[in-house]
Amino acid sequence: MNFYESLGFLVFGSRLRRLSESFLADVNSVYKHHKIKFDASWFPVFYILSEKQAVSIKDISDELNISHSAVSQLVTNLQSKGLIKISTAKDDGRKKVLTFTSKGNQLLQQVKPIWQALQDSMEELINENKDSKKVLQAVAGVERGLQTASLFNRIEGKLKIPARLRHSGGEN
């Protein structure tokens, strides 16, 4: 049994991060190998735009369940690379709408075969082990559980530290 397996849930976050970093590094290596200037971190915005053609930052933020500011940073980066443009919605002058530029559309056509190969490869990987087939359901279950109560609140509820001994944010 390796270190990570032996510690179980104590290193759950570390294992997920390690898996994520490995996954993203490999995907980015595929883009680089095929001389495609695309970063895996752009995928969510690119995918949503590929499905909807025009979408607001708020809609992306809501769909991805991440902050408006996180989406804005990514959008600013993509805009600076000339991949997306921001315009005002015709029906609401306060609403900003994202669309692909011609350069963004060209890049989208280059990455779509990679996305399909990624999907096929992940399905192949998952099918190599019967337990792996449950991974997406398990992750979704953990995500739902954390929406009900954060890990912070769950840990705090288990601690038996008297209030007078708890760290107040002042001196140690």
Side-chain angles (χ1 to χ4, degrees), residues 103-162:
K103 182 178 176 182
N105 267 316
Q106 289 173 352
L107 182 56
L108 176 63
Q109 297 315 308
Q110 290 179 297
V111 297
K112 277 186 167 181
I114 305 287
W115 295 353
Q116 186 59 55
L118 170 61
Q119 177 72 25
D120 295 344
S121 297
M122 288 303 297
E123 287 175 9
E124 178 182 282
L125 177 63
I126 292 300
N127 285 323
E128 289 176 6
N129 181 314
K130 66 180 175 70
D131 292 329
S132 297
K133 292 181 182 183
K134 302 172 192 164
V135 73
L136 291 178
Q137 292 172 342
V139 168
V142 170
E143 289 171 331
R144 283 189 302 274
L146 290 174
Q147 287 176 343
T148 302
S150 72
L151 187 55
F152 175 87
N153 289 337
R154 291 168 188 267
I155 293 168
E156 286 297 308
K158 303 279 185 244
L159 290 175
K160 306 291 187 225
I161 301 171

